[in-house]
Amino acid sequence: MNEQQRKEMSQIKQRDAADRKSGQDKPLQEKTSSDFAKYFETTYEPPNLNKARKRGRDKVNVHYDFGIPEDIENIGVGKKFLIRTYGCQMNEHDTEVMAGILTELGYESTNNTEDADIILLNTCAIRENAENKVFGEIGHLKPLKLEKPDLILGVCGCMSQEESVVNRILKKHPQVDLIFGTHNIHRLPQLIKESFFGKAKVVEVWSKEGDIIENLPKVRKGKIKAWVNIMYGCDKFCTYCIVPMTRGKERSRRPEDIIQEVRHLAAQGYQEITLLGQNVNAYGKDFEDIAYGFGELMDDIHKVDIPRVRFTTSHPRDFDDHLIEVLAQGGNLLDHIHLPVQSGSSDVLKLMNRKYTREQYLELVAKIRKAIPNATLTTDIIVGFPNETDEQFEETMTLMAEVGFEAAYTYIYSPRDGTPAAKKTDNVPMDVKKQRLYRLNDLVNKQSKESMKRLENKVVKVLVEGESKKDPDVLAGYTEKNKLVNFKGPESSIGRIVEVHVTEAKTWSLNGIMVENTVEVN
Ligand code: SAH
Ligand code: SF4
Ligand code: F3S
């Protein structure tokens, strides 16, 4: 720390103390583990499904006035940050926002834990193994914190929204200095300030979702593809899922803000965007003043001059005819639809509260295929839901084949505290679940390989992302249907969409050679 910084810090401390004395500035929730129970009673409620279900349609305000308080503008100058991200695209994108905030504070990014002055673990709570990984990492970082007491070690993201996790960290992992959740990322500057100047741990977790903050800074991971949030939260309450508790109720961004962001990305040269939401098909349902849903949004984005538009995740229940009609226009709206089914058994779907049957799912697939004949479908599947029978699992296997999914993320059910499914007794032994997953994955691999085989000797359009991870002489990118292609071509094609002749199909990727005289596709 140089003299100037030391001086600034001392001024801030004095000002803070004066503000507190005069009662002008309410101290932040800065607590130690001993008074944490009291703190929880007053400002935090653990996930409570009944309450969450009843959560009202309180008005969501949109704020455009995010700014870094003057007194901490340069708090990160000469310092470095590192953020480790676990979980879904939503978390990846939140990390880009936190990186944006930290950069505005003057921090620079680093990949090396030893160089970092602040390390944030942006966590995921979806399954137990996701949580175990984070606890493992917290343990690994302990010696570093002991060596470097000034290091700020923070835990944020979905795990922080769980009371049991916060308690465990406070009890067993004193090396963690800062805990905040998914609803108060915009408070990162103030939280860092507290952590920096205060002696106690800083814990600030909001049990209730906040408003939408529009103008948060972002440092995006690349210059070719970008994430765009269209909504936050989830109101579906699938019985196995923690997300409605960790991410709060559904809140949609205003269409004009989304479209402006997409236009801006297009102007910056981005080639592909992915619209993000836990259940994008419910977009706009919370608007009271306009009748504007996901179909309308896609129709408007269709008109923006950006080559590729993807979206994730679609819930089958809200996938309506208008959306299918809009997607059928093609253009920049790609014909790859990720449509999680979770199970092929109507009985299990009912217990999961998915609100559709196997037959209804198949009807939806038929409708999509009729309107978009070349559509590629991929899915998510959970095996070993409590008391899932062999027959019910076989129904998942037959559905997998009947739909012809070209890829699937498959999981063994993991009980999450606070969800209804976790209270069920379960008569399916773990080795049976593992066996089922193994069989399902075999089928998924087979179907993926077949879909790749169909592309052999064909020409596909590839958005080139860079050199292949394994071989710098080979370039890598993705087709419109999101298939990985490794091919020989000039470096100048990075960031462009080029035509590649597929020479060989593998299970999860294609090999090829770039077609001469490729015309840029826009
Ligand atoms: N909102 C998205 C998915 C969010 S989580 C959707 O509904 O499709 C991503 C996937 O994780 C889910 O589709 C589901 O297959 C899986 N998942 C969620 N909770 C789980 C749990 N408790 N155990 C195992 N897998 C789970
Ligand atoms: Fe979880 Fe279901 Fe919401 Fe997806 S739709 S986030 S699985 S509750
Ligand atoms: Fe995980 Fe939270 Fe995403 S629980 S899957 S990071 S919404």
Side-chain angles (χ1 to χ4, degrees):
M1 199 184 315
N2 64 30
E3 198 46 44
Q4 175 66 16
Q5 284 169 328
R6 205 167 283 141
K7 213 163 120 197
E8 276 172 18
M9 221 184 273
S10 136
Q11 281 168 354
I12 296 170
K13 272 188 177 169
Q14 280 170 11
R15 212 175 319 144
D16 270 8
D19 283 349
R20 284 182 188 178
K21 233 180 179 171
S22 67
Q24 278 176 4
D25 177 22
K26 216 169 94 257
L28 284 176
Q29 287 121 354
E30 179 191 286
K31 303 284 159 180
T32 58
S33 44
S34 59
D35 58 6
F36 190 67
K38 197 174 89 213
Y39 161 74
F40 253 8
E41 269 169 30
T42 53
T43 66
Y44 179 85
E45 285 174 37
N48 179 322
L49 191 74
N50 288 333
K51 270 206 181 147
R53 278 212 170 112
K54 282 188 209 135
R55 59 195 173 201
R57 287 259 161 246
D58 306 344
K59 188 164 167 36
V60 173
N61 293 309
V62 185
H63 300 270
Y64 297 89
D65 57 354
F66 174 84
I68 306 279
E70 240 174 61
D71 60 356
I72 42 176
E73 247 168 14
N74 296 320
I75 204 167
V77 172
K79 301 203 191 91
K80 297 210 164 114
F81 75 91
L82 185 154
I83 310 177
R84 287 251 149 87
T85 315
Y86 303 80
C88 65
Q89 295 95 330
M90 203 72 70
N91 256 18
E92 300 262 358
H93 191 42
D94 284 349
T95 290
E96 294 181 332
V97 171
M98 291 191 271
I101 296 176
L102 289 165
T103 305
E104 287 216 345
L105 289 170
Y107 286 93
E108 276 172 47
S109 98
T110 175
N111 290 324
N112 187 349
T113 46
E114 272 144 45
D115 289 344
D117 300 281
I118 173 161
I119 299 177
L120 297 177
L121 305 181
N122 190 8
T123 63
C124 171
I126 202 83
R127 283 169 290 275
E128 197 186 353
N129 57 3
E131 297 203 349
N132 289 343
K133 268 192 222 157
V134 171
F135 279 113
E137 186 61 14
I138 294 175
H140 286 147
L141 291 168
K142 190 173 184 176
L144 186 66
K145 172 74 191 177
L146 291 177
E147 216 175 274
K148 219 175 143 180
D150 283 345
L151 168 73
I152 296 179
L153 178 56
V155 176
C156 55
C158 288
M159 277 169 71
S160 306
Q161 294 293 139
E162 295 179 281
E163 182 185 27
S164 56
V165 168
V166 178
N167 274 333
R168 181 168 159 193
I169 294 176
L170 290 172
K171 238 185 244 153
K172 300 208 177 130
H173 304 281
Q175 67 270 35
V176 174
D177 307 287
L178 167 64
I179 304 175
F180 61 100
T182 58
H183 302 311
N184 54 344
I185 288 175
H186 60 285
R187 298 223 348 112
L188 190 53
Q190 288 83 351
L191 298 173
I192 290 180
K193 174 180 153 189
E194 282 299 306
S195 199
F196 210 56
F197 298 121
K199 284 209 175 62
K201 283 182 197 308
V202 177
V203 180
E204 189 182 285
V205 179
W206 296 0
S207 55
K208 199 182 162 314
E209 59 285 326
D211 290 337
I212 291 179
I213 320 282
E214 266 308 326
N215 62 331
L216 293 171
K218 294 174 190 115
V219 172
R220 297 188 189 267
K221 216 169 156 193
K223 303 226 168 303
I224 302 170
K225 305 204 286 191
W227 310 112
V228 176
N229 266 129
I230 64 165
M231 60 190 299
Y232 305 96
C234 181
D235 284 346
K236 277 283 179 275
F237 296 104
C238 303
T239 54
Y240 50 82
C241 185
I242 193 79
V243 172
M245 271 72 86
T246 63
R247 292 274 169 176
K249 70 170 182 163
E250 282 170 2
R251 291 148 287 149
S252 305
R253 285 179 73 196
R254 301 296 300 183
E256 56 277 16
D257 293 329
I258 298 170
I259 292 162
Q260 193 193 34
E261 184 173 345
V262 176
R263 285 215 180 100
H264 190 62
L265 289 165
Q268 288 175 282
Y270 280 89
Q271 299 291 303
E272 178 177 309
I273 54 159
T274 303
L275 306 175
L276 291 183
Q278 288 302 339
N279 170 17
V280 288
N281 306 65
Y283 173 78
K285 285 193 166 176
D286 52 326
F287 291 148
E288 281 170 3
D289 55 337
I290 44 172
Y292 188 98
F294 190 52
E296 282 77 15
L297 181 70
M298 288 303 271
D299 205 15
D300 280 338
I301 292 180
H302 176 238
K303 295 169 198 143
V304 180
D305 189 13
I306 189 145
R308 289 182 167 191
V309 179
R310 300 183 190 277
F311 56 93
T312 196
T313 304
S314 268
H315 191 293
R317 163 85 184 202
D318 298 317
F319 211 111
D320 59 28
D321 293 352
H322 179 228
L323 177 63
I324 297 178
E325 219 175 276
V326 170
L327 293 179
Q329 299 173 85
N332 60 0
L333 309 182
L334 302 184
D335 56 1
H336 166 214
I337 299 170
H338 186 65
L339 194 63
V341 64
Q342 312 299 357
S343 165
S345 150
S346 294
D347 291 337
V348 174
L349 288 170
K350 188 148 203 258
L351 294 171
M352 289 177 163
N353 192 32
R354 288 292 287 184
K355 301 192 174 91
Y356 54 83
T357 59
R358 173 191 177 101
E359 292 68 33
Q360 284 166 333
Y361 186 90
L362 287 170
E363 267 167 42
L364 174 61
V365 168
K367 259 201 245 173
I368 294 174
R369 290 220 191 280
K370 189 156 176 242
I372 316 167
N374 278 327
T376 286
L377 291 173
T378 57
T379 200
D380 290 354
I381 292 173
I382 296 176
V383 301
F385 188 75
N387 311 314
E388 181 190 56
T389 64
D390 282 339
E391 294 72 33
Q392 288 167 338
F393 170 68
E394 293 307 327
E395 290 188 80
T396 297
M397 293 289 281
T398 57
L399 185 86
M400 180 75 212
E402 198 171 334
V403 177
F405 291 116
E406 294 186 15
Y409 295 104
T410 56
Y411 310 101
I412 289 181
Y413 164 75
S414 169
R416 309 315 294 136
D417 256 0
T419 63
K423 295 193 192 90
K424 294 262 185 311
T425 50
D426 186 357
N427 64 14
V428 190
M430 189 44 94
D431 55 334
V432 172
K433 296 188 190 212
K434 283 189 179 156
Q435 204 50 43
R436 286 179 189 165
L437 183 71
Y438 190 75
R439 272 190 58 210
L440 178 62
N441 283 346
D442 250 5
L443 182 60
V444 173
N445 289 351
K446 182 173 150 266
Q447 290 187 195
S448 172
K449 193 169 186 172
E450 282 166 4
S451 76
M452 296 291 184
K453 262 279 183 255
R454 289 196 288 273
L455 293 170
E456 259 179 6
N457 292 318
K458 299 249 161 64
V459 171
V460 289
K461 287 175 186 160
V462 178
L463 171 54
V464 191
E465 293 189 16
E467 288 166 1
S468 127
K469 281 183 194 131
K470 289 185 200 140
D471 181 353
D473 289 337
V474 171
L475 298 176
Y478 287 85
T479 68
E480 293 182 339
K481 291 165 185 293
N482 219 18
K483 301 205 187 293
L484 174 63
V485 186
N486 293 305
F487 67 99
K488 293 242 189 273
E491 238 179 73
S492 58
S493 62
I494 294 174
R496 288 170 46 217
I497 296 171
V498 300
E499 295 194 327
V500 174
H501 181 254
V502 177
T503 51
E504 188 192 358
K506 305 201 152 184
T507 304
W508 292 108
S509 65
L510 301 166
N511 288 341
I513 300 167
M514 192 169 134
V515 176
E516 294 281 335
N517 305 323
T518 292
V519 212
E520 189 158 351
V521 198
N522 257 320

